[in-house]
Amino acid sequence: KAGVTQTPRYLIKTRGQQVTLSCSPISGHRSVSWYQQTPGQGLQFLFEYFSETQRNKGNFPGRFSGRQFSNSRSEMNVSTLELGDSALYLCASRPQRLSGANVLTFGAGSRLTVL
Amino acid sequence: AQTVTQSQPEMSVQEAETVTLSCTYDTSESDYYLFWYKQPPSRQMILVIRQEAYKQQNATENRFSVNFQKAAKSFSLKISDSQLGDAAMYFCAYRSAVAGGGGADGLTFGKGTHLIIQP
């Protein structure tokens, strides 16, 4: 069974640009969530999608957005990039039946560097 | 809002010995889940162990076990017979079982403990 796949693995952007990251969940998983990991702030929850609907969003500005497609694949977009957006962006999926007990399975992450 | 605190930024242990990583959390909820995740240098987060707050019995997974003290809001991870492959960042995480009925608030992570295994 394939794991959570994130693309691209590495990317470099300049301030003011925008970026789109992609995440393909484990087959059969309908929930996808995104986390930002930085040395200073640690791991922070961005948002979660289930059946193409955003269920919740963390404390991030509106420049951070996402969506989920009918095949459960998800994308997140960051517009007007700032230096502070440099981070490892982790995607995670969990099973169809939502429960707090569900274990998240993480992808390897997308490393974004903003210059 | 819930918070998770890992007070040990770094721990070092000799191979084959036992080490305990600390985690405390703050919540006003009575129903929640706690997790320990491991992030090796490859960066991929891997679940180590999970604990349901309504269960008094401490979870165990092979060499990994937890000491869950609900009243003290403490959730430590014990690694027995440490192996070189255990070297990684370890994150303690909390998820509410109340919000949205499905933990929609996402995981709240601690800052992590860097575990070093000395050969």
Side-chain angles (χ1 to χ4, degrees):
Chain A
K1 198 176 197 180
V4 178
T5 304
Q6 291 188 245
T7 57
R9 293 290 306 277
Y10 303 90
L11 66 166
I12 300 173
K13 293 286 187 178
T14 57
R15 279 181 298 175
Q17 288 187 312
Q18 73 166 13
V19 66
T20 299
L21 308 178
S22 178
C23 173
S24 293
I26 288 174
S27 178
H29 285 192
R30 290 172 59 187
S31 167
V32 173
S33 52
W34 290 88
Y35 290 80
Q36 181 195 64
Q37 185 176 21
T38 60
Q41 299 299 317
L43 282 149
Q44 293 184 285
F45 172 69
L46 278 158
F47 28 65
E48 181 176 34
Y49 287 87
F50 181 77
S51 294
E52 303 176 64
T53 301
Q54 187 179 88
R55 285 174 50 81
N56 208 352
K57 185 174 181 180
N59 188 24
F60 279 83
R63 300 185 297 106
F64 291 81
S65 63
R67 58 178 176 169
Q68 186 180 33
F69 302 95
S70 58
N71 62 358
S72 294
R73 189 177 71 86
S74 176
E75 288 181 347
M76 69 161 283
N77 183 77
V78 187
S79 61
T80 319
L81 284 166
E82 300 176 0
L83 295 178
D85 297 333
S86 294
L88 179 67
Y89 290 88
L90 294 170
C91 167
S93 73
R94 57 185 176 127
Q96 178 166 340
R97 185 178 71 83
L98 288 183
S99 163
N102 287 164
V103 171
L104 291 181
T105 301
F106 284 85
S110 292
R111 168 73 67 186
L112 170 65
T113 301
V114 181
L115 302 177
Chain B
Q2 296 81 22
T3 59
V4 176
T5 302
Q6 293 179 249
S7 59
Q8 307 151 316
E10 187 172 280
M11 292 281 285
S12 182
V13 65
Q14 291 289 128
E15 194 176 1
E17 294 191 342
T18 296
V19 64
T20 298
L21 308 184
S22 301
C23 171
T24 58
Y25 57 94
D26 187 25
T27 184
S28 59
E29 298 173 338
S30 59
D31 197 12
Y32 48 86
Y33 300 90
L34 297 165
F35 306 84
W36 278 98
Y37 276 90
K38 166 185 175 181
Q39 188 177 39
S42 67
R43 305 182 324 201
Q44 187 138 11
M45 298 275 282
I46 303 165
L47 176 74
V48 175
I49 202 164
R50 177 186 69 187
Q51 175 79 43
E52 293 89 344
Y54 63 84
K55 288 187 178 179
Q56 293 187 344
Q57 186 173 8
N58 290 324
T60 61
E61 287 288 340
N62 301 314
R63 299 181 295 107
F64 299 87
S65 62
V66 298
N67 183 3
F68 173 50
Q69 302 290 327
K70 191 172 184 180
K73 297 179 183 176
S74 171
F75 182 60
S76 61
L77 174 70
K78 185 171 84 171
I79 306 174
S80 304
D81 185 25
S82 297
Q83 300 175 1
L84 294 177
D86 295 334
M89 283 292 292
Y90 284 80
F91 293 95
C92 178
Y94 170 103
R95 172 186 278 143
S96 170
V98 175
D105 285 346
L107 289 172
T108 300
F109 284 92
K111 294 290 189 185
T113 297
H114 181 210
L115 179 63
I116 298 168
I117 311 294
Q118 305 279 5

